[in-house]
């Protein structure tokens, strides 16, 4: 049995963190503590940027990173502000305009998360390239492939 409690062991409780000196090097070694100090809203935004989450999944992930007592009841309000709800699968995804505010060096991201986010952001920031690459509407397919893209 693999339980989700193990990641909590690597993330010290807030009381334990107060006794340790807060150094930039320490936060790089323990990204969980660095994420814990960030605003709850930002943590939700950066999780939703990677993929859609159902509310129980999102709660579990946030709790794994550590949730302050004052933040526990505010998830619904934050989701109304930053997420759009998909009724088909009962999941939440990040609102489009918030992708511009993301930090690619977010301490809670793994290297794979950062790479995925860069792919997501490149698709969001270049909609004109995206439409030409998919050859939609009136764009002629073969001539687009032959001509190199120029900035």
């Amino acid at each position: 049995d693999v339980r989700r409690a193990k990641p909590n062991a690597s993330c010290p409780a807030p009381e334990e963190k107060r006794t340790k000196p807060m150094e930039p090097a320490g936060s790089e070694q323990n990204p969980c503590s660095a994420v814990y100090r960030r605003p709850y809203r930002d943590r939700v935004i950066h999780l939703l940027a990677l993929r859609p989450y159902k509310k129980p999944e999102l709660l579990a992930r946030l709790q794994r990173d550590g949730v302050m007592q004052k933040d526990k009841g505010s998830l619904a309000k934050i989701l109304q502000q930053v997420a759009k709800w998909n009724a088909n699968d009962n999941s939440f995804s990040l609102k489009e305009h918030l992708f511009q505010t993301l930090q690619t060096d977010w301490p809670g991201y793994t290297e794979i998360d950062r790479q995925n986010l860069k792919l997501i952001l490149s698709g969001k920031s270049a909609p004109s390239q995206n439409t030409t690459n998919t050859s939609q509407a009136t764009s002629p397919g073969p001539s687009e492939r032959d001509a190199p893209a120029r900035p």
Side-chain angles (χ1 to χ4, degrees):
D1 277 340
V2 177
R3 300 266 178 192
R4 291 277 184 201
K6 287 185 181 179
N8 281 341
S10 67
C11 298
E15 294 78 24
E16 293 172 0
K17 285 194 296 186
R18 286 189 210 130
T19 61
K20 296 179 182 177
M22 296 177 93
E23 299 174 6
S27 64
E28 288 177 23
Q29 292 172 356
N30 189 356
C32 188
S33 64
V35 171
Y36 182 82
R37 292 190 301 259
R38 302 292 177 114
Y40 193 55
R41 183 178 191 268
D42 290 350
R43 293 164 62 189
V44 172
I45 288 171
H46 282 82
L47 285 175
L48 290 174
L50 296 174
R51 68 176 183 89
Y53 277 90
K54 294 181 179 180
K55 194 171 182 179
E57 289 176 317
L58 188 58
L59 273 171
R61 175 62 200 268
L62 289 164
Q63 287 175 343
R64 194 173 73 201
D65 291 342
V67 178
M68 291 187 211
Q69 191 65 33
K70 66 180 177 102
D71 292 329
K72 283 189 176 183
S74 62
L75 182 60
K77 183 179 177 182
I78 290 171
L79 286 173
Q80 285 180 338
Q81 296 170 356
V82 303
K84 51 187 173 186
W85 183 61
N86 182 351
N88 293 338
D89 62 356
N90 203 23
S91 67
F92 293 90
S93 56
L94 189 63
K95 289 182 178 177
E96 293 296 320
H97 70 278
L98 291 169
F99 279 95
Q100 300 167 5
T101 66
L102 294 172
Q103 300 172 7
T104 55
D105 62 344
W106 182 255
Y109 285 162
T110 64
E111 189 56 38
I112 293 171
D113 291 340
R114 286 186 181 95
Q115 290 172 2
N116 288 339
L117 183 63
K118 285 180 184 177
L119 287 173
I120 292 167
L121 290 176
S122 67
K124 302 263 181 214
S125 66
S128 61
Q129 289 179 356
N130 195 17
T131 57
T132 57
N133 287 343
T134 56
S135 300
Q136 292 177 352
T138 60
S139 59
S143 63
E144 297 254 343
R145 284 187 223 122
D146 296 340
R150 299 193 181 187

